[in-house]
Amino acid sequence: MRRIIRAEPGYLACYYLDKRKKSTIAGKNLELLEQWLTTGEENDAIVQLKNKGVVNTGHFKDEKENLMELITRCRQVEAPLRSLKVPESMNIELTDRCPLRCPQCYCHLNEGKDIKKETALKYIEEAARLQIPYINMCGGETMVYPYLTDLIEFISSKGLHSAIAISGWGFNQDKLKELKRAGIDEIFVSLNGSTEEVNSLSRDGYHKAINTLQVLQADQEVNYYINWVARNDNVADFPRLVNLAQNYGVKRVYILTCKPDASNVIQESLSKDNFLFLADFIKNFDSQEISLMVESCYSPLRAYIYNYYFFNRNTGENMGCGAGRKGITVDLDGNFIPCNHLVHPEKFDSIDEYWWNSKILDNLRRYEEHKEEPCRSCHLTNNCRSCRAVGEKVYHNLYSGHKHCHVPYL
């Protein structure tokens, strides 16, 4: 099992890369781990850690020294306000070129620019040194980038996890073999409708996406999922989209919120009725074959569906927008931005320097002190941190005069 264990302030963060899961060792469990490493006396907590793969008993001596060092370090390290010590994910914008023309696209596709290969490799190298486990690559159209397989091979050689988001353009069995040889871990296919008619309202390339799903289903060696953007013009079709996903062997559908397009306009953001329809469908959906995953920055939806009488499960690092708290993006020019949708480029020599010294990231981390209405008075405010790109672009003429929250009726 591939894994990375990092020392964060007061706890150990364990990333299981093959399953893309994370667990933490803190408090009493951290004390029990230290006790076991010191005395050899096993306990229930240690049995669980062994079963999870945190402790590699096959190389116990090396593991013991490493874990003891990490425990010591986690009691010393610091992190910026409301964030991790270093990011746990890094997005790399490979290109703004794309042969498709999707109505919802947020990229400026008329410049024809690629990130320099050496720039991308430089930051992947630093990500490995900092133990940033997840490297995500996107476009434009990811598949047009000429050095895609070179980057994937380098990420794999560093023991990190690679993921790409694609439309399906240029994808076939030969391309999949090439990506597999390079070591790709996950492929996210963008699809906004179960039919060409619905999909074309916001995306181009329906049949390319379907062909990609067919190729991936026949292969069954790479984890593949669907990215679906929730919009007024496709939400009624979502149950059919889920059925389509099941028919093509997709294990997860990721539900994304509408982001601003290249003109800083938010298209088709959900009405109250459509929001509640989607939320109720997700809450009542029950399947052993496929999971419906709401992205963390779609925090209002997560806060709503995870709310119960006496508690709300939308807590912790995944509660909401993670820009500058758990993730960053490298843009086409090698600048740093908080995420693909918050285009505030800054030039720093290293990831570490950007993470600690960016004024923009510091402002994002202080959102809780500067909430405006309707968020400030919302009964879910303590369990919601909505997408800051949406917050920047929703103005007074939308949603009955409210600013910053795109679902003020909660």
Side-chain angles (χ1 to χ4, degrees):
M1 178 187 294
R2 295 184 304 153
R3 58 166 175 58
I4 288 176
I5 305 178
R6 293 193 336 194
E8 292 289 339
Y11 68 94
L12 300 184
C14 309
Y15 298 94
Y16 312 102
L17 303 188
D18 295 326
K19 297 182 179 180
R20 197 168 181 134
K21 289 187 176 181
K22 175 184 178 182
S23 66
T24 60
I25 308 173
K28 185 64 176 179
N29 284 341
L30 190 65
E31 294 176 9
L32 291 172
L33 175 60
E34 184 176 26
Q35 176 183 315
W36 175 67
L37 292 169
T38 304
T39 67
E41 295 180 8
E42 198 164 282
N43 51 64
D44 290 343
I46 299 307
V47 173
Q48 291 181 9
L49 293 178
K50 286 183 177 180
N51 291 337
K52 288 181 177 180
V54 174
V55 178
N56 185 348
T57 54
H59 303 276
F60 179 69
K61 183 179 179 180
D62 293 339
E63 284 288 295
K64 179 178 178 180
E65 293 177 359
N66 182 49
L67 288 171
M68 287 296 288
E69 181 183 345
L70 286 170
I71 290 171
T72 300
R73 198 183 307 163
C74 80
R75 290 166 176 157
Q76 299 170 344
V77 298
E78 297 180 348
L81 178 69
R82 298 192 181 102
S83 63
L84 302 174
K85 176 186 67 173
V86 291
E88 68 180 22
S89 67
M90 180 174 73
N91 298 318
I92 304 176
E93 288 188 338
L94 300 182
T95 181
D96 64 0
R97 295 184 294 129
C98 183
L100 306 181
R101 288 297 178 266
C102 303
Q104 72 178 21
C105 188
Y106 62 87
C107 294
H108 298 276
L109 298 174
N110 56 352
E111 297 175 8
K113 183 185 295 185
D114 296 338
I115 191 171
K116 293 180 180 178
K117 178 182 176 181
E118 56 269 26
T119 300
L121 292 174
K122 168 190 171 183
Y123 288 121
I124 294 169
E125 178 79 48
E126 187 183 0
R129 180 176 61 80
L130 295 174
Q131 292 189 296
I132 298 173
Y134 301 117
I135 310 298
N136 308 313
M137 291 164 285
C138 60
E141 173 49 61
T142 310
M143 297 295 289
V144 307
Y145 185 67
Y147 308 111
L148 176 60
T149 53
D150 294 338
L151 298 191
I152 294 172
E153 286 178 356
F154 193 63
I155 293 167
S156 180
S157 73
K158 295 297 180 180
L160 306 180
H161 182 282
S162 62
I164 57 173
I166 63 175
S167 68
W169 181 91
F171 192 89
N172 52 37
Q173 291 179 340
D174 290 339
K175 179 57 68 174
L176 177 57
K177 290 178 182 178
E178 182 181 324
L179 294 172
K180 285 165 56 179
R181 283 195 297 267
I184 189 65
D185 287 299
E186 292 181 317
I187 297 176
F188 291 79
V189 181
S190 298
L191 186 65
N192 278 3
S194 67
T195 66
E196 183 174 16
E197 179 183 6
V198 175
N199 188 74
S200 65
L201 297 172
S202 53
R203 289 203 59 84
D204 194 3
Y206 173 79
H207 293 290
K208 298 181 187 303
I210 295 298
N211 174 72
T212 297
L213 294 175
Q214 291 172 339
V215 171
L216 290 166
Q217 183 181 29
D219 180 76
Q220 288 295 312
E221 291 187 2
V222 176
N223 292 321
Y224 62 100
Y225 315 113
I226 287 177
N227 277 342
W228 177 84
V229 179
R231 297 164 53 96
N232 280 321
D233 57 19
N234 70 353
V235 70
D237 178 66
F238 185 63
R240 291 185 289 273
L241 185 282
V242 174
N243 288 335
L244 178 147
Q246 289 179 294
N247 290 337
Y248 287 110
V250 177
K251 300 303 182 185
R252 297 177 191 169
V253 174
Y254 282 84
I255 300 159
L256 315 182
T257 185
C258 284
K259 309 294 196 311
D261 62 17
S263 301
N264 288 337
V265 173
I266 299 176
Q267 304 177 15
E268 296 288 337
S269 194
L270 296 189
S271 66
K272 177 178 179 178
D273 288 344
N274 283 336
F275 178 93
L276 295 176
F277 169 84
L278 178 61
D280 289 342
F281 181 82
I282 296 170
K283 289 186 75 168
N284 295 319
F285 185 76
D286 184 20
S287 172
Q288 300 296 317
E289 299 177 356
I290 189 170
S291 300
L292 306 183
M293 313 291 291
V294 181
E295 68 170 339
S296 60
C297 60
Y298 205 167
S299 193
L301 181 58
R302 289 173 61 92
Y304 183 86
I305 64 175
Y306 294 149
N307 192 45
Y308 299 90
Y309 287 108
F310 301 109
F311 65 97
N312 192 306
R313 289 198 297 117
N314 195 41
T315 59
E317 296 168 0
N318 293 322
M319 184 181 80
C321 176
R325 302 192 186 212
K326 62 177 185 175
I328 59 169
T329 293
V330 178
D331 74 8
L332 297 173
D333 297 310
N335 298 315
F336 293 108
I337 55 178
C339 85
N340 302 51
H341 306 277
L342 284 169
V343 187
H344 301 290
E346 294 182 286
K347 198 74 173 178
F348 284 91
D349 291 333
S350 68
I351 297 169
D352 212 21
E353 185 182 351
Y354 174 63
W355 192 249
W356 281 90
N357 298 321
S358 165
K359 292 182 179 179
I360 292 172
L361 295 190
D362 185 62
N363 287 336
L364 284 170
R365 294 163 184 158
R366 296 180 186 277
Y367 163 70
E368 283 82 347
E369 284 81 39
H370 303 287
K371 285 187 178 181
E372 299 183 15
E373 297 296 353
C375 295
R376 188 168 57 215
S377 300
C378 178
H379 69 286
L380 297 177
T381 188
N382 293 328
N383 296 95
C384 181
R385 187 174 64 245
S386 62
C387 172
R388 294 297 85 215
V390 171
E392 281 194 346
K393 302 299 185 294
V394 178
Y395 293 102
H396 290 287
N397 62 327
L398 297 177
Y399 302 107
S400 303
H402 290 307
K403 184 180 180 181
H404 291 296
C405 180
H406 57 309
V407 281
Y409 41 83
L410 294 184

